[in-house]
Amino acid sequence: MSNGYTPVPDVENEIRVVERSLACADTARPVHPDRSLVPVSTGMPRSWDGRVAYAVSHMGSPPVLTTGSIALLAAVLSGLSAWLWACAYVLMSMMAPLAYLVWLLRRGQITDLDVQLREQRLRPM
């Protein structure tokens, strides 16, 4: 059902909106003045689908998959040196960064081990 009318965008109004938003951006006032108060959900979700998503997310996380893959490879090679190399790799590539994240968490520099707030990612990453 076409009446032949094609709406023309109000370009002048859009220009004014953009100019106003740029003027507000120059005030350097952040949207959230105290970003430490931004709510971050930590812990186990309450709904069943949230719990399933939480479990799948943690089982599919890089540290878990990498540790499992390295252990599987060491089991297939089944030599003492394979297990020693696997343990050394997991300690250096997984446990050292995790220990650093736990240290930052205990000092209060990050809110959770997932480092959900972008402002907190600079040091651990």
Side-chain angles (χ1 to χ4, degrees), residues 53-93:
Y54 184 83
V56 168
S57 174
H58 279 78
M59 286 187 296
S61 69
V64 173
L65 288 179
T66 303
T67 303
S69 300
I70 295 296
L72 181 64
L73 181 64
V76 168
L77 296 176
S78 67
L80 179 62
S81 66
W83 281 105
L84 290 175
W85 279 110
C87 290
Y89 178 78
V90 167
L91 281 174
M92 288 187 288
S93 67

Side-chain angles (χ1 to χ4, degrees), residues 35-43 111-117 120:
R35 293 221 182 246
S36 65
L37 298 178
V38 175
V40 176
S41 64
T42 57
T111 55
D112 60 348
L113 291 177
D114 292 330
V115 193
Q116 294 179 9
L117 296 177
Q120 297 175 352

Side-chain angles (χ1 to χ4, degrees), residues 98-110 113 123:
L98 182 62
Y100 181 61
L101 283 173
V102 169
W103 181 70
L104 288 175
L105 182 67
R106 290 188 183 220
R107 291 189 64 202
Q109 294 182 357
I110 59 175
L113 291 177
R123 291 193 75 189

